[in-house]
Amino acid sequence: KSGFSKDIIVVPHGHDPAVFKKMDRAEILKKPEWKSFPKDKFVFGFVGGWAQGENDRKDLGLALRAYCKVFKKDDPVLFVVKVNMAYNPALNLADAIAALNLPKPCPDIIAFTDDMSDESRAELYNLMDAHVMPTRGEAFGLTMLEAMACGTPNIATAWGGQTDFLNGENSWLIGGEFRKATDAHVMYEGVNWCFPSEDSFAAAMRDAFMDRDKLGERAQQGLIDAKCWTWNASAVKLLEVLNRKP
């Protein structure tokens, strides 16, 4: 169907285990840059691009609606949003979130738009209890791997490149229905995406919050599984491909 007559060999992305690793949360919170970060809350997070609001492939809006659906203002929870502004430098994130018309009063949400080094992003993953990514389609899903390598389990869509390394033992995977892609870019012409279930995401977020044993088990499995997905492993795979005889 692709038009290629030869096998396609996939060389995956990876992470740097010297950076993206499990850290001591208490030690991170001692650093000046994190001194105002809320403590003693269960932290959900989203790290990724979000350039087109409700039409965006990452669907941050669904994550925030699901969060507001199952938690109240006085619940000990927090949702942290870190958006990669490279995809839309002119985006006013506060206005874009306000345009979602989330119910009020909603539980706490904080957002970061400043550039972060890999090291700072790794610290942010470590400050999360669960990383939420209701993506409609991924080639790989690098932020989900980075979160997993930091001991933070994912709640993610059960379709896309991330399912190469996410599974029911290390994550919560959520199904959905296939519909026409909402991005008008020519690269998505004739493409269907998987639109995940908001109710199922909400249920998974509640499950992660309520069942800390399950959360811990999936975090530990993720740490084990992430060891196979490093940039060194990617380089070895690439060398194998380059050294193959025609």
Side-chain angles (χ1 to χ4, degrees):
K1 292 183 179 179
S2 67
F4 289 93
S5 58
K6 295 184 178 180
D7 291 341
I8 297 174
I9 301 171
V10 177
V11 178
H13 288 338
H15 75 282
D16 182 353
V19 176
F20 296 99
K21 58 188 178 182
K22 184 67 176 174
M23 305 177 202
D24 187 292
R25 183 179 294 193
E27 291 301 313
I28 295 172
L29 291 171
K30 290 178 182 178
K31 295 187 175 184
E33 58 267 37
W34 297 111
K35 64 181 180 180
S36 62
F37 193 88
K39 302 173 179 63
D40 302 322
K41 292 194 174 187
F42 188 99
V43 181
F44 295 98
F46 169 100
V47 178
W50 191 56
Q52 302 182 56
E54 294 283 51
N55 289 327
D56 199 89
R57 179 170 51 85
K58 300 290 188 182
D59 208 356
L60 171 62
L62 184 149
L64 294 178
R65 286 192 299 271
Y67 171 67
C68 293
K69 182 175 289 186
V70 292
F71 298 108
K72 298 184 174 71
K73 174 64 178 174
D74 57 352
D75 286 333
V77 293
L78 171 68
F79 199 111
V80 178
V81 177
K82 171 62 183 85
V83 168
N84 184 347
M85 298 297 290
Y87 294 98
N88 183 359
L91 176 71
N92 184 310
L93 183 57
D95 287 349
I97 291 176
L100 297 173
N101 294 315
L102 300 174
K104 293 182 174 55
C106 64
D108 290 348
I109 300 170
I110 59 174
F112 296 95
T113 56
D114 293 342
D115 288 341
M116 278 188 179
S117 65
D118 286 352
E119 289 75 13
S120 292
R121 199 166 66 256
E123 290 173 347
L124 179 58
Y125 290 128
N126 272 275
L127 293 175
M128 298 176 188
D129 294 288
H131 182 242
V132 184
M133 183 54 70
T135 177
R136 299 168 182 172
E138 292 291 331
F140 185 78
L142 185 57
T143 63
M144 288 176 268
L145 175 60
E146 291 174 345
M148 187 172 77
C150 292
T152 302
N154 287 275
I155 303 172
T157 311
W159 182 79
Q162 71 275 12
T163 58
D164 283 352
F165 53 88
L166 298 187
N167 56 59
E169 299 299 317
N170 61 34
S171 308
W172 282 261
L173 293 179
I174 309 302
E177 62 179 26
F178 287 90
R179 302 200 301 269
K180 182 180 178 181
T182 51
D183 190 318
H185 194 283
V186 65
M187 70 184 292
Y188 296 117
E189 184 176 338
V191 171
N192 285 338
W193 284 342
C194 182
F195 290 70
S197 163
E198 182 177 313
D199 286 341
S200 295
F201 258 90
M205 293 170 77
R206 170 61 73 177
D207 189 37
F209 175 76
M210 295 296 295
D211 194 336
R212 303 302 171 88
D213 288 339
K214 184 187 295 184
L215 182 76
E217 290 167 1
R218 297 189 183 188
Q220 288 302 314
Q221 187 61 50
L223 287 170
I224 294 169
D225 295 343
K227 293 177 181 179
C228 301
W229 297 85
T230 65
W231 287 119
N232 281 347
S234 299
V236 169
K237 178 69 172 179
L238 180 58
L239 287 172
E240 289 176 355
V241 174
L242 294 176
N243 290 327
R244 288 181 63 180
K245 293 182 180 180

